Amino acid sequence: MSQRTAVVTGASAGIGAATATRLAAEGFHVVLGARRLDRCQEIADKIGGTALQLDVTDEASVEAFAASVPVAHVLVNNAGGARGLATVQDAVEDDWRWMWEANVLGTLRVTKAFLPKLIESGDGHVVTVTSVAAFEAYDNGSGYTSAKHAQAALHRTLRGEHLGQPVRFTEIAPGMVETDFSVNRFGGDTERAEAVYRGLQPLVADDVADTIAWAVTRPSHVNIDQIIMKPRAQASATRAHREG
Ligand code: 8X3
């Protein structure tokens, strides 16, 4: 059997990089897409994958990316993230615009571009990394929680729209994962980012990659619809047990 291809967006760091690495170990040829091509290339060199520039907020970039990948079996919609923490009253429109572009429209664009190829493969799979923020609305997080709710609604809709076709859909909804997520959310403020994970053991990117790899390596007739995963010390987006 020829090697299966997995496409991972946001693959230059964090969950995306870990997932690319893990799927290569599972035997996939991995196509890594992200804005930072040099970072993707470094990982691709290590795992025998292919690095391509991808900005999911840019339709032309998504089109060019998809045109370079003629065959795909697995798509991992991982690109996205948060910008800022502000009340609705103080919401920064540009932050909202970026979060909706990256998480919602980015997932829409990339999924539209790859679905025909995934179905054509005869055994396709779309994994979308949402968040506990796709289930909960929390104070100061409305830009992100609303984007994640919308991204999840988009993803969950696909499941019904493609019933009967050879493609599976899995939503992975992580809670606290220590990656660049919080550093990016706080515009590079590492101290503020570190405080998010202080006093507890957060998930790491490999934990999520491990779960994604498990979902995509189930037999073709098994669809893992949703997995919500959090550190043991985290009960919800706003409730965690911290030591010290
Ligand atoms: C990240 C998890 O709790 O910051 O997707 O929304 S949270």
Side-chain angles (χ1 to χ4, degrees):
M1 210 172 103
S2 59
Q3 196 179 22
R4 285 158 57 79
T5 296
V7 176
V8 181
T9 70
S12 58
I15 294 170
T19 301
T21 303
R22 178 60 191 272
L23 292 182
E26 296 286 345
F28 285 91
H29 176 75
V30 180
V31 179
L32 300 94
R35 282 168 300 175
R36 294 174 295 185
L37 183 58
D38 52 333
R39 302 267 298 261
C40 280
Q41 191 62 59
E42 256 175 59
I43 301 161
D45 288 346
K46 278 191 206 136
I47 65 173
T50 303
L52 295 171
Q53 186 134 39
L54 172 66
D55 179 353
V56 301
T57 69
D58 176 353
E59 199 172 338
S61 171
V62 173
E63 272 173 26
F65 177 78
S68 306
V69 187
V71 176
H73 301 81
V74 172
L75 166 65
V76 182
N77 283 314
N78 166 72
R83 289 229 174 130
L85 269 178
T87 60
V88 172
Q89 183 63 45
D90 292 335
V92 178
E93 263 196 42
D94 276 345
D95 286 348
W96 272 64
R97 210 166 276 119
W98 182 83
M99 286 189 273
W100 277 73
E101 272 292 342
N103 295 285
V104 188
L105 293 164
T107 297
L108 175 65
R109 287 185 194 104
V110 177
T111 304
K112 278 178 76 173
F114 279 96
L115 257 178
K117 299 176 203 211
L118 297 168
I119 293 167
E120 177 75 9
S121 79
D123 188 12
H125 200 149
V126 178
V127 177
T128 302
V129 181
T130 65
S131 168
V132 292
F135 292 88
E136 298 177 53
Y138 54 82
D139 295 358
N140 305 310
S142 61
Y144 183 63
T145 57
S146 64
K148 283 294 180 186
H149 274 71
Q151 180 197 32
L154 178 173
H155 171 91
R156 293 169 199 163
T157 302
L158 291 163
R159 179 91 168 90
E161 289 179 347
H162 293 280
L163 270 179
Q165 295 175 350
V167 59
R168 294 182 280 168
F169 296 94
T170 299
E171 177 186 354
I172 307 284
M176 283 185 215
V177 188
E178 191 161 18
T179 61
D180 293 340
F181 173 85
S182 291
V183 180
N184 292 336
R185 170 174 250 178
F186 300 131
D189 184 340
T190 49
E191 212 165 296
R192 208 173 157 200
E194 271 164 28
V196 173
Y197 310 109
R198 197 164 294 152
L200 58 77
Q201 184 177 353
L203 301 180
V204 293
D206 281 341
D207 295 322
V208 183
D210 185 45
T211 304
I212 292 172
W214 177 77
V216 305
T217 53
R218 294 313 85 209
S220 303
H221 70 287
V222 179
N223 195 100
I224 306 299
D225 284 37
Q226 282 177 339
I227 296 177
I228 303 173
M229 54 188 297
K230 291 175 278 195
R232 189 179 64 195
Q234 183 185 19
S236 74
T238 55
R239 190 159 169 243
H241 173 79
R242 295 176 198 269
E243 300 285 343

